[in-house]
Short mmCIF file of all heavy atoms in Angstrom, two decimals:
data_model
loop_
_atom_site.label_atom_id
_atom_site.label_comp_id
_atom_site.label_asym_id
_atom_site.label_seq_id
_atom_site.Cartn_x
_atom_site.Cartn_y
_atom_site.Cartn_z
N LYS E 87 107.73 28.28 40.92
CA LYS E 87 108.96 28.54 41.68
C LYS E 87 109.69 29.76 41.11
O LYS E 87 109.85 29.88 39.89
CB LYS E 87 109.87 27.32 41.64
CG LYS E 87 109.35 26.13 42.40
CD LYS E 87 110.25 24.91 42.20
CE LYS E 87 111.65 25.13 42.73
NZ LYS E 87 112.50 23.91 42.57
N VAL E 88 110.14 30.63 42.01
CA VAL E 88 110.83 31.86 41.62
C VAL E 88 112.18 31.92 42.31
O VAL E 88 112.30 31.61 43.50
CB VAL E 88 110.00 33.11 42.01
CG1 VAL E 88 110.76 34.39 41.65
CG2 VAL E 88 108.64 33.09 41.31
N LEU E 89 113.20 32.33 41.55
CA LEU E 89 114.53 32.57 42.11
C LEU E 89 114.91 34.02 41.89
O LEU E 89 114.91 34.52 40.76
CB LEU E 89 115.57 31.67 41.43
CG LEU E 89 117.04 31.95 41.76
CD1 LEU E 89 117.31 31.74 43.25
CD2 LEU E 89 117.96 31.07 40.92
N ASP E 90 115.23 34.72 43.00
CA ASP E 90 115.76 36.08 42.95
C ASP E 90 117.27 35.95 43.09
O ASP E 90 117.80 35.76 44.18
CB ASP E 90 115.15 36.91 44.09
CG ASP E 90 115.66 38.34 44.15
OD1 ASP E 90 116.42 38.74 43.24
OD2 ASP E 90 115.30 39.06 45.09
N LEU E 91 117.98 36.04 41.96
CA LEU E 91 119.40 35.75 41.90
C LEU E 91 120.19 37.05 42.05
O LEU E 91 120.18 37.91 41.18
CB LEU E 91 119.71 35.09 40.55
CG LEU E 91 121.13 34.61 40.28
CD1 LEU E 91 121.56 33.56 41.30
CD2 LEU E 91 121.23 34.04 38.86
N GLY E 92 120.90 37.17 43.18
CA GLY E 92 121.55 38.43 43.52
C GLY E 92 120.54 39.36 44.16
O GLY E 92 120.29 40.47 43.71
N CYS E 93 119.96 38.91 45.28
CA CYS E 93 118.75 39.54 45.83
C CYS E 93 118.98 40.87 46.51
O CYS E 93 118.03 41.64 46.71
CB CYS E 93 118.06 38.58 46.79
SG CYS E 93 119.01 38.19 48.29
N GLY E 94 120.24 41.18 46.91
CA GLY E 94 120.43 42.41 47.66
C GLY E 94 119.58 42.41 48.91
O GLY E 94 119.52 41.41 49.63
N TRP E 95 118.89 43.52 49.18
CA TRP E 95 118.06 43.57 50.39
C TRP E 95 116.68 42.95 50.21
O TRP E 95 115.87 42.94 51.13
CB TRP E 95 117.98 44.96 50.97
CG TRP E 95 117.87 46.13 50.04
CD1 TRP E 95 118.90 46.83 49.49
CD2 TRP E 95 116.67 46.78 49.60
NE1 TRP E 95 118.42 47.88 48.73
CE2 TRP E 95 117.05 47.86 48.78
CE3 TRP E 95 115.30 46.55 49.82
CZ2 TRP E 95 116.12 48.71 48.18
CZ3 TRP E 95 114.38 47.40 49.22
CH2 TRP E 95 114.80 48.46 48.42
N GLY E 96 116.42 42.38 49.02
CA GLY E 96 115.30 41.44 48.91
C GLY E 96 114.02 41.89 48.25
O GLY E 96 113.03 41.16 48.29
N ILE E 97 113.99 43.03 47.59
CA ILE E 97 112.73 43.54 47.09
C ILE E 97 112.06 42.61 46.08
O ILE E 97 110.85 42.36 46.16
CB ILE E 97 112.88 44.97 46.52
CG1 ILE E 97 111.52 45.51 46.08
CG2 ILE E 97 113.90 45.02 45.39
CD1 ILE E 97 111.56 46.98 45.70
N ALA E 98 112.82 42.08 45.12
CA ALA E 98 112.20 41.26 44.07
C ALA E 98 111.66 39.96 44.63
O ALA E 98 110.52 39.56 44.35
CB ALA E 98 113.21 40.98 42.96
N GLY E 99 112.45 39.28 45.45
CA GLY E 99 112.01 38.01 46.00
C GLY E 99 110.84 38.15 46.95
O GLY E 99 109.93 37.31 46.96
N ILE E 100 110.84 39.20 47.76
CA ILE E 100 109.74 39.40 48.70
C ILE E 100 108.46 39.78 47.98
O ILE E 100 107.37 39.30 48.31
CB ILE E 100 110.14 40.44 49.76
CG1 ILE E 100 111.22 39.83 50.68
CG2 ILE E 100 108.94 40.92 50.57
CD1 ILE E 100 111.91 40.82 51.59
N TYR E 101 108.57 40.60 46.95
CA TYR E 101 107.39 40.91 46.12
C TYR E 101 106.86 39.64 45.48
O TYR E 101 105.64 39.39 45.48
CB TYR E 101 107.78 41.94 45.06
CG TYR E 101 106.68 42.27 44.08
CD1 TYR E 101 105.53 42.94 44.48
CD2 TYR E 101 106.80 41.92 42.74
CE1 TYR E 101 104.52 43.25 43.58
CE2 TYR E 101 105.80 42.23 41.82
CZ TYR E 101 104.67 42.90 42.25
OH TYR E 101 103.68 43.20 41.35
N ALA E 102 107.75 38.79 44.96
CA ALA E 102 107.33 37.53 44.36
C ALA E 102 106.62 36.64 45.38
O ALA E 102 105.59 36.02 45.08
CB ALA E 102 108.54 36.79 43.78
N ALA E 103 107.15 36.60 46.61
CA ALA E 103 106.55 35.77 47.66
C ALA E 103 105.13 36.20 47.98
O ALA E 103 104.27 35.38 48.31
CB ALA E 103 107.42 35.80 48.91
N LYS E 104 104.87 37.50 47.89
CA LYS E 104 103.52 38.01 48.13
C LYS E 104 102.54 37.49 47.07
O LYS E 104 101.34 37.37 47.33
CB LYS E 104 103.52 39.54 48.10
CG LYS E 104 104.30 40.20 49.23
CD LYS E 104 103.52 40.20 50.53
CE LYS E 104 104.17 41.08 51.57
NZ LYS E 104 103.38 41.11 52.83
N LEU E 105 103.06 37.18 45.89
CA LEU E 105 102.20 36.80 44.76
C LEU E 105 102.09 35.29 44.57
O LEU E 105 101.03 34.78 44.20
CB LEU E 105 102.71 37.44 43.47
CG LEU E 105 102.71 38.97 43.44
CD1 LEU E 105 103.37 39.47 42.17
CD2 LEU E 105 101.29 39.51 43.54
N VAL E 106 103.18 34.56 44.79
CA VAL E 106 103.17 33.12 44.50
C VAL E 106 103.21 32.25 45.75
O VAL E 106 102.99 31.04 45.67
CB VAL E 106 104.34 32.73 43.56
CG1 VAL E 106 104.33 33.58 42.31
CG2 VAL E 106 105.68 32.84 44.27
N GLY E 107 103.49 32.85 46.90
CA GLY E 107 103.62 32.08 48.13
C GLY E 107 105.08 31.94 48.53
O GLY E 107 105.93 31.63 47.69
N ALA E 108 105.37 32.20 49.79
CA ALA E 108 106.76 32.23 50.27
C ALA E 108 107.48 30.91 50.05
O ALA E 108 108.68 30.88 49.77
CB ALA E 108 106.78 32.59 51.76
N GLU E 109 106.75 29.79 50.14
CA GLU E 109 107.39 28.49 50.03
C GLU E 109 107.91 28.20 48.63
O GLU E 109 108.68 27.25 48.43
CB GLU E 109 106.43 27.38 50.47
CG GLU E 109 105.21 27.20 49.57
CD GLU E 109 104.02 28.08 49.95
OE1 GLU E 109 104.24 29.18 50.50
OE2 GLU E 109 102.87 27.65 49.69
N TYR E 110 107.53 29.00 47.66
CA TYR E 110 107.97 28.80 46.28
C TYR E 110 109.11 29.73 45.87
O TYR E 110 109.53 29.72 44.71
CB TYR E 110 106.80 29.00 45.32
CG TYR E 110 105.67 28.03 45.54
CD1 TYR E 110 104.48 28.46 46.13
CD2 TYR E 110 105.79 26.69 45.19
CE1 TYR E 110 103.43 27.57 46.35
CE2 TYR E 110 104.75 25.80 45.41
CZ TYR E 110 103.58 26.24 45.99
OH TYR E 110 102.55 25.36 46.22
N VAL E 111 109.61 30.54 46.80
CA VAL E 111 110.60 31.56 46.45
C VAL E 111 111.94 31.28 47.11
O VAL E 111 112.02 30.98 48.31
CB VAL E 111 110.10 32.96 46.86
CG1 VAL E 111 111.18 34.02 46.59
CG2 VAL E 111 108.82 33.32 46.10
N THR E 112 113.00 31.41 46.31
CA THR E 112 114.37 31.36 46.81
C THR E 112 115.05 32.68 46.48
O THR E 112 114.93 33.19 45.36
CB THR E 112 115.16 30.21 46.16
OG1 THR E 112 114.54 28.96 46.48
CG2 THR E 112 116.61 30.19 46.64
N MET E 113 115.75 33.24 47.45
CA MET E 113 116.55 34.45 47.23
C MET E 113 118.01 34.10 47.54
O MET E 113 118.28 33.38 48.48
CB MET E 113 116.09 35.60 48.12
CG MET E 113 114.63 35.99 47.91
SD MET E 113 114.19 37.58 48.67
CE MET E 113 114.41 37.23 50.41
N SER E 114 118.93 34.65 46.75
CA SER E 114 120.34 34.35 46.99
C SER E 114 121.19 35.58 46.73
O SER E 114 120.84 36.45 45.92
CB SER E 114 120.81 33.20 46.10
OG SER E 114 120.97 33.64 44.77
N ASP E 115 122.34 35.63 47.41
CA ASP E 115 123.31 36.69 47.18
C ASP E 115 124.67 36.19 47.65
O ASP E 115 124.75 35.38 48.58
CB ASP E 115 122.93 37.97 47.94
CG ASP E 115 123.52 39.22 47.30
OD1 ASP E 115 124.74 39.44 47.49
OD2 ASP E 115 122.81 39.95 46.62
N ILE E 116 125.73 36.69 47.03
CA ILE E 116 127.08 36.31 47.43
C ILE E 116 127.49 37.01 48.73
O ILE E 116 128.35 36.53 49.46
CB ILE E 116 128.08 36.64 46.30
CG1 ILE E 116 129.44 35.98 46.58
CG2 ILE E 116 128.21 38.15 46.10
CD1 ILE E 116 130.42 36.10 45.42
N ASP E 117 126.84 38.13 49.05
CA ASP E 117 127.17 38.97 50.20
C ASP E 117 126.40 38.49 51.44
O ASP E 117 125.16 38.51 51.45
CB ASP E 117 126.81 40.42 49.87
CG ASP E 117 127.23 41.41 50.95
OD1 ASP E 117 127.38 41.02 52.12
OD2 ASP E 117 127.39 42.60 50.62
N GLY E 118 127.14 38.09 52.47
CA GLY E 118 126.49 37.61 53.68
C GLY E 118 125.62 38.65 54.36
O GLY E 118 124.59 38.31 54.95
N GLU E 119 126.01 39.93 54.30
CA GLU E 119 125.19 40.98 54.90
C GLU E 119 123.87 41.14 54.14
O GLU E 119 122.82 41.38 54.74
CB GLU E 119 125.96 42.31 54.90
CG GLU E 119 127.09 42.37 55.90
CD GLU E 119 126.60 42.22 57.33
OE1 GLU E 119 125.61 42.87 57.70
OE2 GLU E 119 127.21 41.43 58.09
#
Side-chain angles (χ1 to χ4, degrees):
K87 291 174 62 178
V88 177
L89 171 62
D90 179 5
L91 184 60
C93 65
W95 39 272
I97 183 171
I100 290 169
Y101 176 67
K104 294 282 191 178
L105 297 174
V106 306
E109 66 271 29
Y110 299 107
V111 176
T112 298
M113 301 193 295
S114 75
D115 204 284
I116 192 172
D117 186 336
E119 288 299 314

